Amino acid sequence: GSSNNTVAYTYQWEKSPDNVNWTTITGATSPTASITSESTETTYYYRRKITCNSSGISYYSTSTAFTTTLTLQTKIKISF
């Protein structure tokens, strides 16, 4: 099928804590994905599996790492 025809392909997003062992993200089946943050100070890798519906052949995108960090801003009031 045409590379511009999204109906000819199915998508499945996956995540991994180590860029080796992958699990599917439930409901993440569109060409783009919104990532929900994980626990702080953690890194997860994400990739997209693309399957051609007519041939059944699957390809994987290059994985991308996201790290969730936490920045605390504290205001202190000092009275003398």
Side-chain angles (χ1 to χ4, degrees):
S2 170
S3 62
N4 293 326
N5 184 356
T6 57
V7 176
Y9 301 94
T10 55
Y11 304 94
Q12 179 62 63
W13 286 87
E14 301 177 338
K15 74 177 185 177
S16 168
D18 56 10
N19 207 22
V20 175
N21 299 296
W22 295 91
T23 58
T24 59
I25 301 172
T26 303
T29 57
S30 63
T32 59
S34 296
I35 304 301
T36 302
S37 64
E38 303 289 341
S39 302
T40 56
E41 301 300 323
T42 58
T43 299
Y44 275 92
Y45 298 85
Y46 296 87
R47 70 179 183 183
R48 180 178 64 180
K49 178 182 176 182
I50 305 166
T51 303
C52 177
N53 292 336
S54 61
S55 69
I57 297 172
S58 296
Y59 298 94
Y60 292 90
S61 66
T62 303
S63 63
T64 302
F66 288 94
T67 302
T68 304
T69 59
L70 177 65
T71 303
L72 296 176
Q73 296 180 352
T74 305
K75 292 182 178 179
I76 301 172
K77 181 178 180 182
I78 300 174
S79 298
F80 292 98

